[in-house]
Amino acid sequence: MVELAEGVAGQSCGRLFAGFGDSVIKCEPPGGDPLRTQEPVDAGGVGYLFAALNADKQSVQVDVESRDGRARLAELLASADIVITDSGPGRARETGLSPARLRAEHPRLVVVTITPYGADDVRSDAYGDSLLAECYGGLAAMVGEPARAPLSLGGEQTAHAAAFAGFYGSMLALRRPGGDVVDVALCDVAAYIDWKSDVVYAETGLIPVRTGASSGRWRIVRAADGYVGFVFLPEQWDSVVALVDDPALADPRLRGDQARFELMESWWPVVERWAAQRTKREIYHGAQRLGLPFGYCADLADLAADPQYRARSFITDAEAEAAVPDGRAPLAPVVGLPWRCGAPPDLDAGEPHRSEHAADGHAADRAGADLAGAGGATVPPPRLRLVDGAERDAKQGPLAGVVVLDLGTITAGAATGRLLADYGATVIKIESMERPDAFRVWPVPTADDAEVTEDSPLFASNNAGKLGITIDLKTGSGRAEMHRLVARSDVLIENFTVGVTRRLGIDHPTLSEINPRLIYLSLSSQGQFGPESGIRSYGSTLDLLSGLASITGYAGDGPMWSSAEINYPDQLVSLFGAGLIAYCVARGLRGTHLDVSQRELVSWTLADRIAEYRAAGTVPGPTGNRRPGSTPHDVYRCGGDDQWIAIVCRTDAERAALAALVGADRLADRSAGWWERNHQEVDTAIGAWTRRLSKEECLRELTQAGIASAPVRSARERAADPLFRRRRVFLDEPRRQKGFPLRLLGYEPPEPRPAPRIGQHNADIRHGHWPGAAAVSAAEPTEVPSQRPGGPT
């Protein structure tokens, strides 16, 4: 594939393909990608972010503004399956890179475009990044303390999530006759991640707000040597009492969840005093032994030494580091498919080697040596192009004919199944009548009482479009019924605690004997093996354990999580899980166990920060909304209650324009370094101007001055924005639920059927009356070895 992307999202998307061994040609502007030298840099002067995003790619300089450059690009595209771009519509027209023109000149090419507001929105010609997307999409309004400024998640989280959406979309497009255009908007992805707020607002009329880390039912508490997240369900209160072992928590008045909520200021100080006398790991391990999904806040030094990460070779030991240039950590987000962990490309002015391209014009298989597994086995990947793609019905969903058994619960697993159902897969949700999906009774975040007596409105968003069946896997007849379904299916998804599937007789070794072609996706907390593989977690736990919370928060303060109202790790995992399954389907990679550690996947988005720590010993902390390469890069209070606008400047010209706009001419001729060192003075000048205006007035004037900005939107404002309705980021039939994180220009998913009632389709499924029931292919499986030492194949 060919990558023409300057932003993090497009480059992260290309990195996924390069990691899986596909040939990725990175087209850089004359002089190279600006990220190459963006600080912080390694000993060789290469930016850590650039190295993390561009490992294992090839590089060629292409000036798309020149005739020769466009001719060189046309030659590259003629032999490509996929092109990744992030140009807005204006620049795309000027350089001949509009999706319509690319498809007209290369009819079988899949075009993935990742922009701030969408491929056809003129606002996408302006700069966009995760902060701006999270503000406009409403996500930032939900992160941070209630009385303080909204926060962007640490690093470039929305950019990485958009990359996963682009990766998934590209595989769907490959299943379309003649390909398609994949249109991903950063603000759509941010809004999609915050889907719970849409549901809560529609159901209650209340506008969800950020709850921070020091209020609410779940909190981050200071331990003797760091921080711990107290995460527990109402029915786990007795375990919390046993853990803390203080008579104050045994007060009978605290038996009910609503009573505990009302009396929280009487018992939380008891917890805080107890935690302050113990280490974070002591509390974490004690809680896990009691089945409590606590997590401790791991900083990047913790991750680098983490025994679980080292046991799974997510971070390698000292002996293996010599093979990794400049101490970069070879992070692999999945076990079960080969993952390449090399260095970024040197800036090369020449063409990529012609040997990298097949004679028929499609991407060639990489050399087997590039894909060597831990044991030396090699598996050249199949071609990207689908053999039967031209024969598929254009009206069908791209995944039509794919049968998925969905044992996923709550979000990470269940939302993966929803994404597959959206694009045509037959997804059968399997539950136990005695223990149905806990999300059926999950309270909306602003509910006064945690007791829910009917299906939660949140349940529909993760389960619409599925069929539903109940099976008691603790009985012989139930397991036999499950095995019959497995024999007729293509995919199985599970996110149980490690060990559960083995006890129930539905683990991968057992089911692969029944169906050797089965694609088996495990989305566990920490992976299927390793000393901590059996822990319990929720998204908030993983915010902490992954290292994300350690770099999210206000400068100089403690860690911040995405909160239970968002549970960002769950949303990220579902996008990656759907992409992995679609990748295996499109590539013919059957008969494989995909072992995804949710914790590792979130840490993967921090690869540049981990590499910096390992090379320089720098342990980063929260920096608020400030990021390298831009100054200012923050949100500023506007007139009105909790009204904010994000402002980003990357060049001296933009800073001069901002100085003139806010009436601070003394700042106009100052360098970027001066603005950064004196950001408090700068922020004061900007804030004095923004407070005098509404955020709409600020946005209008900043836009006219050519300064990148975005208002911080609430769920109510998002619901009223025609952009999100037009792009179907949320749906309203039969009631408000999340929509889609991407668009295929040639295929519009139908409204999904309502989420199934428990056991609703028992009779139909047991009698084989479901789409794809007879679709059992006899194709030989493609065996895929594990990449990591000690990992199962």
Side-chain angles (χ1 to χ4, degrees):
M1 54 214 69
V2 173
E3 178 193 296
L4 286 152
E6 296 181 0
V8 170
Q11 295 184 49
S12 177
C13 187
R15 173 68 184 109
L16 291 172
F17 286 106
F20 288 127
D22 298 309
S23 177
V24 179
I25 302 169
K26 178 179 179 62
C27 296
E28 302 189 55
D33 188 323
L35 286 183
R36 277 188 176 273
T37 55
Q38 178 177 293
E39 294 184 348
V41 297
D42 64 20
V46 176
Y48 289 106
L49 181 58
F50 177 87
L53 295 175
N54 294 288
D56 300 298
K57 299 177 186 177
Q58 301 171 78
S59 172
V60 59
Q61 291 188 70
V62 176
D63 183 2
V64 296
E65 308 284 351
S66 71
R67 179 179 300 178
D68 289 345
R70 287 192 292 271
R72 174 179 290 182
L73 178 60
E75 183 180 356
L76 294 174
L77 294 175
S79 59
D81 296 293
I82 299 172
V83 61
I84 303 169
T85 78
D86 58 5
S87 296
R91 177 167 169 77
R93 283 192 302 270
E94 294 170 0
T95 56
L97 295 175
S98 68
R101 182 166 178 176
L102 287 170
R103 292 274 294 154
E105 294 177 350
H106 308 281
R108 297 183 65 195
L109 186 67
V110 167
V111 179
V112 179
T113 174
I114 307 178
T115 60
Y117 297 94
D120 60 354
D121 194 309
V122 295
R123 292 175 295 179
S124 291
D125 285 318
Y127 174 74
D129 65 5
S130 293
L131 171 65
L132 296 169
E134 289 166 26
C135 289
Y136 192 88
L139 180 61
M142 297 296 294
V143 181
E145 296 293 349
R148 301 185 69 179
L151 285 173
S152 177
L153 294 170
E156 285 279 343
Q157 293 306 314
T158 291
H160 285 295
F164 293 175
F167 178 71
Y168 178 45
S170 68
M171 294 298 102
L172 298 175
L174 281 173
R175 298 266 300 179
R176 298 268 302 141
D180 208 334
V181 174
V182 182
D183 179 5
V184 178
L186 290 170
C187 67
D188 285 3
V189 173
Y192 179 87
I193 291 169
D194 188 36
W195 63 269
K196 290 182 189 176
S197 294
D198 286 326
V199 175
V200 170
Y201 173 67
E203 292 287 330
T204 68
L206 301 175
I207 303 173
V209 296
R210 52 196 177 276
T211 56
S214 56
S215 63
R217 288 181 168 89
W218 296 355
R219 298 189 182 184
I220 297 177
V221 175
R222 185 184 290 273
D225 62 344
Y227 296 87
V228 176
F230 273 63
V231 179
F232 59 94
L233 297 180
E235 59 267 27
Q236 294 174 316
W237 175 249
D238 287 344
S239 296
V240 175
V241 174
L243 177 69
V244 177
D245 192 23
D246 188 295
L249 269 62
D251 187 332
R253 294 179 301 165
L254 302 179
R255 297 298 302 170
D257 184 69
Q258 183 61 25
R260 286 195 298 274
F261 183 77
E262 293 170 354
L263 296 171
M264 63 175 57
E265 297 312 318
S266 69
W267 61 268
W268 267 114
V270 175
V271 170
E272 291 166 350
R273 288 192 296 271
W274 173 84
Q277 299 172 25
R278 290 159 178 83
T279 68
K280 59 186 182 182
R281 288 179 180 82
E282 178 186 356
I283 298 170
Y284 164 68
H285 289 299
Q288 288 288 333
R289 282 193 294 271
L290 292 170
L292 293 167
F294 284 23
Y296 72 89
C297 182
D299 62 27
L300 300 194
D302 292 324
L303 297 187
D306 189 84
Q308 177 69 11
Y309 278 12
R310 288 183 171 273
R312 288 172 55 83
S313 294
F314 182 70
I315 293 179
T316 58
D317 57 23
E319 288 77 15
E321 289 175 12
V324 184
D326 300 321
R328 298 188 186 100
L331 310 175
V334 61
V335 174
L337 292 176
W339 181 262
R340 301 177 68 220
C341 305
D346 294 329
L347 185 60
D348 188 350
E351 291 282 1
H353 298 300
R354 295 298 300 169
S355 61
E356 296 290 351
H357 302 279
D360 65 358
H362 300 150
D365 293 345
R366 302 289 292 172
D370 286 342
L371 291 172
T378 61
V379 182
R383 296 186 188 282
L384 277 172
R385 187 66 63 191
L386 261 184
V387 174
D388 64 344
E391 300 172 1
R392 301 184 65 82
D393 186 344
K395 296 181 181 180
Q396 287 185 317
L399 296 178
V402 177
V403 178
V404 179
L405 301 181
D406 181 359
L407 289 98
T409 61
I410 306 183
T411 292
T416 299
R418 161 70 197 275
L419 282 163
L420 300 174
D422 286 340
Y423 292 94
T426 298
V427 179
I428 301 173
K429 184 174 183 65
I430 299 173
E431 299 174 87
S432 164
M433 186 64 75
E434 289 71 27
R435 293 192 65 182
D437 186 339
F439 229 38
R440 286 190 180 273
V441 292
W442 206 270
V444 296
T446 55
D448 290 335
D449 196 324
E451 300 297 325
V452 178
T453 57
E454 60 181 19
D455 278 2
S456 167
L458 300 174
F459 178 80
S461 283
N462 286 339
N463 295 284
K466 302 178 185 179
L467 305 174
I469 186 173
T470 55
I471 298 178
D472 186 354
L473 292 169
K474 294 181 179 179
T475 67
S477 60
R479 287 191 292 272
E481 182 177 5
M482 179 70 184
H483 292 173
R484 286 193 292 272
L485 285 176
V486 167
R488 304 159 72 188
S489 301
D490 302 286
V491 177
L492 183 142
I493 303 167
E494 62 90 6
N495 65 322
F496 293 123
T497 301
V498 171
V500 171
T501 58
R502 179 175 50 78
R503 291 195 297 271
L504 294 176
I506 57 171
D507 55 308
H508 176 257
T510 299
L511 299 188
S512 64
E513 291 184 4
I514 298 167
N515 182 354
R517 300 180 63 257
L518 187 68
I519 300 168
Y520 191 112
L521 175 63
S522 294
L523 298 170
S524 59
S525 174
Q526 299 222 43
Q528 295 295 299
F529 61 96
E532 295 190 1
S533 59
I535 78 152
R536 301 169 183 267
S537 70
Y538 290 118
S540 294
T541 312
L542 295 165
D543 276 326
L544 295 159
L545 292 176
S546 66
L548 177 59
S550 75
I551 63 167
T552 301
Y554 304 100
D557 282 3
M560 180 63 63
W561 52 19
S562 64
S563 79
E565 283 69 33
I566 296 172
N567 276 335
Y568 166 76
D570 292 344
Q571 323 307 326
L572 187 76
V573 167
S574 67
L575 289 168
F576 186 69
L580 267 183
I581 289 173
Y583 184 84
C584 288
V585 169
R587 302 293 300 270
L589 296 172
R590 303 301 178 112
T592 186
H593 186 190
L594 301 168
D595 172 12
V596 176
S597 158
Q598 297 183 40
R599 179 190 182 195
E600 289 174 4
L601 185 65
V602 180
S603 294
W604 185 83
T605 69
L606 310 177
D608 59 314
R609 311 306 299 273
I610 296 173
E612 181 186 1
Y613 165 74
R614 299 189 73 194
T618 304
V619 180
T623 59
N625 294 312
R626 312 192 76 81
R627 298 293 184 271
S630 301
T631 184
H633 191 278
D634 211 338
V635 298
Y636 299 88
R637 189 184 292 275
C638 304
D641 182 30
D642 199 30
Q643 300 296 297
W644 304 81
I645 191 160
I647 299 175
V648 173
C649 291
R650 296 184 301 152
T651 68
D652 289 340
E654 291 168 351
R655 281 181 282 273
L658 178 60
L661 181 65
V662 304
D665 292 338
R666 66 188 184 282
L667 309 180
D669 59 351
R670 300 287 191 173
S671 68
W674 186 93
W675 279 63
E676 180 60 35
R677 291 189 301 273
N678 296 275
H679 64 84
Q680 292 180 331
E681 178 181 345
V682 171
D683 290 345
T684 298
I686 297 171
W689 177 77
T690 58
R691 284 174 182 269
R692 295 197 298 267
L693 305 173
S694 68
K695 66 183 178 184
E696 291 78 13
E697 292 170 328
C698 289
L699 178 65
R700 182 172 58 251
E701 296 203 26
L702 288 162
T703 301
Q704 291 174 349
I707 299 163
S709 59
V712 177
R713 294 290 191 87
S714 68
R716 179 173 63 186
E717 292 168 318
R718 184 169 61 213
D721 190 328
L723 173 74
F724 296 116
R725 190 174 298 277
R726 176 174 61 85
R727 294 179 62 87
R728 303 181 75 199
V729 176
F730 57 81
L731 305 174
D732 282 318
E733 296 296 335
R735 60 204 289 192
R736 181 67 57 82
Q737 61 185 277
K738 71 177 175 183
F740 313 106
L742 61 93
R743 299 186 69 199
L744 294 177
L745 267 57
Y747 177 78
E748 192 74 23
E751 293 282 330
R753 71 172 68 89
R757 300 185 303 277
I758 186 165
Q760 179 179 349
H761 302 100
N762 280 353
D764 288 342
I765 293 172
R766 286 174 177 141
H767 290 90
H769 300 154
W770 40 281
V776 179
S777 171
E780 290 296 320
T782 301
E783 300 294 342
V784 183
S786 169
Q787 171 72 0
R788 302 188 204 165
T793 58

